[in-house]
């Protein structure tokens, strides 16, 4: 696999890029400003910073979810819910900003192809395209992580509810009961017998905590599900652009193979040519020697003497 970023890294160090037809001997010398890589990499760094921000928000949500599993008070659960909702709203804002900036990079990449030496398939174009695709993959991975978090929250919510029911009633609730509680959040009917035996005041906090947890999970799941569209958009863009990059890379590989084959053939021809010249020189020397011997035999200069 060729390193598609090699050209851009060389350019960022102040070197020049030369793209042209080797056989015709044409070369185009450009600098980073002329081919737009300075501004391009500034935008890339800005997007990478935003994606890192998404990773930090993901970590905060994961930590808050872990914290919620040990909470037994409604007020504490409500506080965690508010924090998580705020962070998820921020995730949505950042993800949409990154998506828009990536779409702008795609447009910039197309416009940059109009510059000399930056045509489609050139080293600069491959560098810009592969870098943009790598950023899209990073965003897709973060969106996938948030969807995984949503599934984790849902599964762990079920486990917490099962524990709460067992703690209050002393019995393991069946699947249907747990499903109904998760769906409605109404736990009073399920705990009716416990209320009669223990009194409402003793389990009212558990009832409130379960209701608060239900509302939190529902709202968080809804907000995380809204991010699914961004994930799908990135998946489609990466798949389409990935095929294009694979095609370009295959063409570059094939071209390199042809060049290497051509170099090998030239080297072989050069060796043959060198050997041919050597044989020709030897043949000429032998011929001269033969001619000299014949002349000596025919003329017999020693007889005249």
């Amino acid at each position: 696999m060729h390193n598609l970023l090699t050209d851009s890294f060389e350019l960022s160090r102040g070197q020049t890029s030369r793209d042209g037809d080797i056989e015709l001997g044409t070369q185009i010398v450009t600098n980073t400003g002329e081919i737009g890589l300075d501004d391009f990499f500034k935008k890339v760094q800005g997007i990478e910073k935003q994606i890192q921000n998404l990773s930090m928000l993901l970590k905060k949500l994961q930590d808050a979810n872990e914290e919620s599993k040990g909470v037994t008070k409604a007020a504490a659960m409500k506080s965690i819910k508010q924090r998580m909702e705020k962070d998820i709203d921020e995730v949505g804002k950042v993800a949409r900003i990154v998506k828009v900036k990536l779409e702008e990079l795609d447009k910039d990449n197309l416009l940059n192809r109009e510059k000399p030496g930056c045509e489609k398939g050139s080293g600069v174009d491959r560098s810009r395209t592969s870098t943009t695709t790598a950023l899209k993959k990073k965003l897709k991975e973060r969106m996938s992580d948030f969807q995984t978090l949503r599934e984790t929250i849902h599964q762990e919510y079920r486990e917490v509810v099962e524990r709460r029911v067992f703690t209050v009633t002393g019995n393991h609730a069946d699947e249907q009961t747990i499903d109904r509680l998760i769906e409605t959040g109404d736990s009073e009917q399920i705990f009716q017998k416990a209320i009669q035996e223990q009194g409402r005041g003793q389990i009212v906090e558990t009832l409130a905590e379960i209701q608060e947890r239900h509302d939190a999970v529902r709202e968080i799941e809804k907000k995380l599900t809204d991010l699914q569209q961004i994930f799908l958009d990135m998946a489609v863009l990466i798949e389409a652009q990935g095929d294009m990059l694979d095609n370009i890379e295959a063409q570059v590989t094939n071209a390199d193979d042809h060049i290497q084959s051509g170099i090998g053939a030239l080297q072989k021809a050069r060796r043959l040519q060198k050997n041919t010249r050597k044989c020709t020189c030897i043949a000429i020397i032998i011929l001269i020697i033969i001619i000299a011997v014949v002349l000596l035999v025919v003329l017999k200069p020693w007889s005249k003497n």
Side-chain angles (χ1 to χ4, degrees), residues 259-272:
I259 291 172
Q260 295 302 325
S261 299
I263 292 174
L266 288 173
Q267 291 174 343
K268 184 177 180 180
R270 186 174 298 172
R271 287 195 299 270
L272 290 173

Side-chain angles (χ1 to χ4, degrees), residues 109-221:
N109 291 344
L110 291 175
L111 291 174
N112 196 71
R113 290 176 178 174
E114 299 177 2
K115 297 179 180 179
C118 304
E119 295 81 3
K120 182 177 180 180
S122 64
V124 172
D125 183 58
R126 295 198 311 275
S127 174
R128 292 176 66 106
T129 304
S130 62
T131 302
T132 304
T133 302
L135 290 173
K136 290 177 182 177
K137 287 182 178 179
K138 284 185 179 180
L139 178 59
K140 178 189 172 185
E141 289 171 359
R142 292 293 80 78
M143 294 297 98
S144 178
D145 290 338
F146 284 109
Q147 295 310 312
T148 300
L149 175 62
R150 179 179 66 83
E151 295 169 1
T152 300
I153 290 174
H154 181 81
Q155 179 61 35
E156 292 177 346
Y157 170 49
R158 184 182 189 88
E159 295 171 357
V160 170
V161 168
E162 288 177 346
R163 289 198 301 270
R164 293 291 184 274
V165 172
F166 178 76
T167 300
V168 174
T169 66
N171 298 316
H172 291 287
D174 56 41
E175 293 287 328
Q176 186 176 1
T177 300
I178 296 299
D179 288 339
R180 185 170 71 253
L181 179 55
I182 290 174
E183 183 64 30
T184 63
D186 183 12
S187 56
E188 186 163 346
Q189 183 179 0
I190 297 172
F191 296 151
Q192 189 171 17
K193 182 179 179 181
I195 292 173
Q196 293 173 354
E197 293 177 353
Q198 304 174 31
R200 182 179 179 84
Q202 294 185 19
I203 63 171
V204 66
E205 185 64 39
T206 301
L207 294 171
E209 183 263 330
I210 289 178
Q211 183 62 50
E212 194 65 50
R213 188 179 296 275
H214 168 79
D215 295 342
V217 170
R218 284 299 180 195
E219 187 64 26
I220 290 169
E221 280 192 330

Side-chain angles (χ1 to χ4, degrees), residues 35-36 39-40 43 101-115 125 128:
I35 58 181
D39 184 58
F40 173 76
K43 292 179 179 179
K101 288 184 177 296
L102 286 171
E103 291 171 345
E104 291 175 353
L105 273 189
D106 278 334
K107 295 178 181 178
D108 290 344
N109 291 344
L110 291 175
L111 291 174
N112 196 71
R113 290 176 178 174
E114 299 177 2
K115 297 179 180 179
D125 183 58
R128 292 176 66 106

Side-chain angles (χ1 to χ4, degrees), residues 64-71 80 156 160 163-164 213:
N65 181 55
E66 285 297 314
E67 181 184 350
S68 72
K69 290 191 290 185
V71 167
I80 293 175
E156 292 177 346
V160 170
R163 289 198 301 270
R164 293 291 184 274
R213 188 179 296 275

